[in-house]
Structures are given as C-alpha cells and as structure tokens.
Amino acid sequence: MKIQIVACDIDKETPAKSYAITVDGEEHELDLCQEHARPIDELIAAAKGETLPEPAKAQAAPPMQFTPPSPAPRKTAASAEQKPAAKKRGGRRPKITSMEEIEAAKARKAQD
C-alpha cells in the first residue's frame, strides 16, 4: 500500500492543494496550503465574480505522537512443579556393525 501526502512547497504544512499556473507559456506546478493559496483562490473567485468566505481561525492540529510498542513481558523461571518433563532427544540409534560381523551373518544365513 502506498500513501502520498501533499505538503505546501513554502512551509511544508498539510493538507495542501496542487496548482498548475501557466504564465506566458511557462507552466509552474505548486503545492500550496490554504494560507498560501488564498491569493490565488481570490483571483479565481474575482474572475468568476464570486467572493470567498473569510478564512476560519486555523486551529493547529495536535502534533502526531509516536508511541513505541511496549516491550514484551519477561518470562520468569517457573518452578519444577510447573515445568513439563524434559523430552528425550534422539531416540534409538542404529547398530554399528563391522565388515567381519556382516560377513559372518551372511555365512550363517547361507548355512540355514
């Protein structure tokens, strides 16, 4: 997932609107907050014959706080009564036989 936040090019405030202004064939792209975009919005409104409402007193949003995750609780040593019995590891190992034992087993098998 991708999140894109547009901030004012002048003071880095958010939220901001993107404006594309063309002057004598030269295009300028600006991202402006409400305060810095006000003169442009007033020009556009005047050209349309409208008036803009007075800006409301800006209430600063509380700064976002980063709260790190709390550490995992530490495991304490359990008493012998609480611990499960230890598992045996490995199991049955294969019998190791020498070449002489193998040849002797073959000879016995051939006699039977």
Side-chain angles (χ1 to χ4, degrees), residues 41-110:
D41 290 338
E42 288 173 351
L43 286 172
I44 294 170
K48 291 181 177 180
E50 302 170 353
T51 58
L52 290 177
E54 287 298 316
K57 295 275 183 177
Q59 293 182 353
M64 292 197 303
Q65 297 283 331
F66 172 74
T67 306
S70 59
R74 292 183 177 233
K75 292 183 180 180
T76 57
S79 66
E81 299 164 358
Q82 294 175 342
K83 289 184 180 179
K87 293 182 179 179
K88 285 188 175 182
R89 294 194 177 209
R92 191 169 177 184
R93 293 187 179 187
K95 182 179 176 187
I96 300 174
T97 55
S98 65
M99 287 302 290
E100 291 84 23
E101 291 173 328
I102 294 172
E103 292 300 325
K106 284 183 184 179
R108 272 186 262 132
K109 200 171 195 179

Side-chain angles (χ1 to χ4, degrees), residues 8-80:
C8 181
D9 291 340
I10 298 170
D11 61 3
K12 307 300 181 212
E13 288 290 317
T14 58
K17 291 181 181 178
S18 296
Y19 291 85
I21 302 170
T22 305
V23 179
D24 294 331
E26 186 177 342
E27 187 170 308
H28 304 276
E29 292 185 14
L30 301 169
D31 297 324
L32 300 173
C33 64
Q34 186 176 5
E35 177 185 347
H36 292 110
R38 182 98 181 144
I40 296 171
D41 290 338
E42 288 173 351
L43 286 172
I44 294 170
K48 291 181 177 180
E50 302 170 353
T51 58
L52 290 177
E54 287 298 316
K57 295 275 183 177
Q59 293 182 353
M64 292 197 303
Q65 297 283 331
F66 172 74
T67 306
S70 59
R74 292 183 177 233
K75 292 183 180 180
T76 57
S79 66

